[in-house]
Amino acid sequence: DQQVKQNSPSLSVQEGRISILNCDYTNSMFDYFLWYKKYPAEGPTFLISISSIKDKNEDGRFTVFLNKSAKHLSLHIVPSQPGDSAVYFCAASSPRGNAGNMLTFGGGTRLMVKP
Amino acid sequence: DTGVSQDPRHKITKRGQNVTFRCDPISEHNRLYWYRQTLGQGPEFLTYFQNEAQLEKSRLLSDRFSAERPKGSFSTLEIQRTEQGDSAMYLCASSLEIGEAFFGQGTRLTVV
């Protein structure tokens, strides 16, 4: 069973508009959430993270919102730029002594920002 | 470049052959992870090292897979008797005890 789900496989937005990428999780033990961005033929690049004790974290054009009661998080990109076009992965981790910061990933959302 | 480095970037092998991949983590990172990513999916956890100790292995890691981190620095992932289902991107990541993991560019394996 997928513990982290990204239900939208793709999203297309106009340059300058807001991009909203969504992620749902089922495991209530997750306490740290991350977003990674991936270009073709490259490894994932860390974008932004949020601890479960917060409900919002902002870094420049990127903001992550966490709704623990709904087990839902979202990534907002404002304004969107063509260079943001990539696959975005949501990931989560839980405190497990033997597995370090092992991440459970969603299936990804392909964002296309049109000029 | 002080990021995570993986070698080779691409590997094509015949079914039944053995392959070995190498990962050089960020030097001060004591935690090292291997993940596997297939087309259209997110990365899936394979195994985790803290320094030289392999502390966790996923059930995805069959007996044909073995990973080592002999001196707590670089790591190798070996796949014996490769099968077509092993074709995937193999990703290595490293981290400190707290904070995000940084990924390498991956090794794309194609088994023909």
Side-chain angles (χ1 to χ4, degrees), chain A residues 36-45 81-89 110, chain B residues 37 89 105:
Chain A
Y36 283 83
K37 174 179 174 180
K38 187 178 185 300
Y39 293 117
E42 293 186 11
T45 302
Q81 299 173 354
D84 296 329
S85 297
V87 177
Y88 288 77
F89 290 100
R110 181 177 300 279
Chain B
Q37 184 180 17
M89 173 77 85
Q105 292 186 301

Side-chain angles (χ1 to χ4, degrees), chain B residues 67-90:
Chain B
E68 294 182 342
R69 194 182 182 196
K71 296 182 180 179
S73 56
F74 74 92
S75 176
T76 57
L77 177 69
E78 181 183 15
I79 309 174
Q80 295 182 327
R81 304 181 305 281
T82 52
E83 301 173 356
Q84 287 188 321
D86 297 331
S87 296
M89 173 77 85
Y90 289 84

Side-chain angles (χ1 to χ4, degrees), chain A residues 5 12-13 18 24 32 43 48 52 57 68 77 91-92 101 112:
Chain A
K5 286 187 182 179
S12 181
V13 300
I18 183 171
D24 296 293
Y32 192 62
I48 192 169
S52 60
N57 188 27
K68 281 194 300 181
I77 307 174
N101 303 340
M112 292 163 284

Side-chain angles (χ1 to χ4, degrees), chain B residues 34-38 42-44 46 60 65 85-86 88-91:
Chain B
W34 285 97
Y35 289 83
R36 180 172 70 186
Q37 184 180 17
T38 52
E44 295 175 292
L46 291 178
L60 292 175
F65 287 70
D86 297 331
M89 173 77 85
Y90 289 84
L91 294 162

Side-chain angles (χ1 to χ4, degrees), chain A residues 8-21 80-81 84-86 88 109-115:
Chain A
S8 298
S10 65
L11 175 68
S12 181
V13 300
Q14 206 67 34
E15 180 179 7
R17 298 288 188 100
I18 183 171
S19 295
I20 300 177
L21 295 94
S80 301
Q81 299 173 354
D84 296 329
S85 297
Y88 288 77
T109 296
R110 181 177 300 279
L111 173 66
M112 292 163 284
V113 180
K114 297 181 179 177

Side-chain angles (χ1 to χ4, degrees), chain A residues 2 32 34 36 38 41-46 49 89 96-108, chain B residues 9 31 33 35 37 40-43 45 48 55-56 89 91 95-105:
Chain A
Q2 277 190 291
Y32 192 62
L34 308 90
Y36 283 83
K38 187 178 185 300
E42 293 186 11
T45 302
F46 170 73
S49 62
F89 290 100
R96 295 176 55 194
N98 287 337
N101 303 340
M102 182 197 98
L103 297 174
T104 302
F105 283 85
Chain B
R9 292 288 309 276
R31 296 186 170 191
Y33 312 82
Y35 289 83
Q37 184 180 17
Q41 305 294 320
F45 171 78
Y48 158 63
L55 297 185
E56 183 83 3
M89 173 77 85
L91 294 162
S95 75
L96 295 167
E97 302 228 347
I98 297 175
E100 65 274 11
F102 292 85
F103 283 81
Q105 292 186 301

Side-chain angles (χ1 to χ4, degrees), chain B residues 1-73:
Chain B
D1 183 11
T2 56
V4 178
S5 177
Q6 291 188 247
D7 182 70
R9 292 288 309 276
H10 304 274
K11 179 71 176 179
I12 300 175
T13 190
K14 291 184 177 179
R15 190 175 53 183
Q17 297 294 304
N18 300 343
V19 294
T20 300
F21 311 140
R22 177 181 169 120
C23 171
D24 287 274
I26 294 172
S27 58
E28 60 267 29
H29 287 182
N30 61 338
R31 296 186 170 191
L32 186 146
Y33 312 82
W34 285 97
Y35 289 83
R36 180 172 70 186
Q37 184 180 17
T38 52
L39 201 60
Q41 305 294 320
E44 295 175 292
F45 171 78
L46 291 178
T47 190
Y48 158 63
F49 289 86
Q50 180 156 324
N51 300 311
E52 67 275 10
Q54 187 175 20
L55 297 185
E56 183 83 3
K57 294 198 303 186
S58 162
R59 62 180 182 274
L60 292 175
L61 213 66
S62 76
D63 291 345
R64 297 183 297 104
F65 287 70
S66 63
E68 294 182 342
R69 194 182 182 196
K71 296 182 180 179
S73 56

